[in-house]
Amino acid sequence: MNDSALTPERILDAAEEVLRRYGLAKATVVDVARFLEVSHGTIYRHFPSKAALRDAVAERWLHRVSTPLAAIAEEQGSAVERLHRWFEQLMTLKRQKVLNEPELFATYSAIAQEARGVVQAHIAELISQIAAIVESGISSNEFKVTDPQVAAKAVFQATVRFHHPAHASEWSNPDIDTDFNQVWRLVVAGLVVGELIV
C-alpha cells in the first residue's frame, strides 16, 4: 500500500481484520503493518504506540454501541418508552456481539479492559444519554427525581447485569428477559415516585 494513502481509519480497519483473523496475540503494530504491507514506522505516524492503537480500536468498537443509543436519547416522546427502548437497544447490541462472534467479543473485551480511559469515557457517555432522557422525563412530569445525573448513574448500575461484558455468560439464560423486566419495573417505579432514587 502507498504510505501516503494510509489513514487512521484504514489502519483501524486493518487492525480489526487482524483481530478477527488471528486474535489478540497477533494484533501488534508490526502485524497490522505487515497486513497493510507498510513499515511499522508508518503506523506509528498515526498511532504512537501499540496501546494507542488498541485504545483507538476499543473506542471505535464502543462507538458502534453509543451512536444508535444517542439517536434514541435525542428523540421526542415519552421518557419511559424511550428509556426502555434505549436499554433494549443496548442489550440487543451487546447480545448480538456475544452470540454472533463470541471469540471476537472476547478479544474486544480484553482490549477494552486494557483501555480503561476509553471505557470510562464510554460509560460516562452512556450515563449522559440516560440523564438526558431522565431530564426530559422530569420536564414532562413523568419522573419525580431531582437530579438526572445521579438517577442516570443509579439506573445504569441497577441494570449492569444485562449489558456489562462481565455478565455475558448469563445472557443466554432463558430467564434473562424476565429478570430484566422485573428490574425495569423497579427502576421505573423509582423514577416515577422519586423516592427510591435521589
Side-chain angles (χ1 to χ4, degrees):
M1 169 177 273
N2 183 347
D3 287 7
S4 63
L6 197 61
T7 64
E9 285 301 307
R10 179 69 187 100
I11 293 169
L12 291 174
D13 288 342
E16 288 187 350
E17 189 58 33
V18 168
L19 282 167
R20 182 173 279 106
R21 289 186 188 185
Y22 308 113
L24 190 57
K26 293 291 286 179
T28 67
V29 172
V30 172
D31 294 314
V32 173
R34 188 177 297 123
F35 182 85
L36 289 167
E37 298 180 348
V38 299
S39 70
H40 64 278
T42 303
I43 305 293
Y44 282 124
R45 284 189 212 125
H46 297 277
F47 299 97
S49 66
K50 180 174 82 171
L53 178 59
R54 287 191 174 181
D55 281 1
V57 168
E59 187 172 21
R60 190 188 216 201
W61 185 59
L62 294 171
H63 189 66
R64 289 184 186 129
V65 173
S66 61
T67 299
L69 296 173
I72 296 171
E74 292 166 7
E75 289 175 4
Q76 301 298 312
S78 165
V80 172
E81 290 175 10
R82 277 188 297 136
L83 191 59
H84 190 262
R85 277 193 298 111
W86 190 95
F87 274 104
E88 281 187 330
Q89 179 72 2
L90 175 63
M91 293 184 302
T92 297
L93 289 168
K94 294 290 181 85
R95 286 183 193 180
Q96 284 173 345
K97 289 178 186 296
V98 171
L99 298 175
N100 296 344
E101 297 184 283
E103 295 87 4
L104 192 59
F105 181 82
T107 297
Y108 276 115
S109 293
I111 290 174
Q113 286 177 4
E114 294 175 6
R116 294 192 183 276
V118 171
V119 172
Q120 288 172 350
H122 173 68
I123 291 171
E125 181 181 6
L126 297 184
I127 290 173
S128 177
Q129 291 176 8
I130 298 170
I133 298 173
V134 171
E135 190 167 7
S136 72
I138 294 169
S139 297
S140 64
N141 291 319
E142 288 179 80
F143 299 147
K144 303 300 181 192
V145 292
T146 56
D147 188 324
Q149 193 67 30
V150 170
K153 187 174 181 182
V155 170
F156 186 82
Q157 291 173 337
T159 58
V160 75
R161 176 187 172 211
F162 307 101
H163 51 76
H164 192 287
H167 297 276
S169 63
E170 300 174 47
W171 298 344
S172 57
N173 185 314
D175 295 327
I176 195 73
D177 291 329
T178 300
D179 292 348
F180 173 74
N181 288 331
Q182 290 171 345
V183 171
W184 174 251
R185 285 195 291 272
L186 185 63
V187 163
V188 171
L191 291 169
V192 169
V193 174
E195 293 177 0
L196 300 180
I197 304 174
V198 175

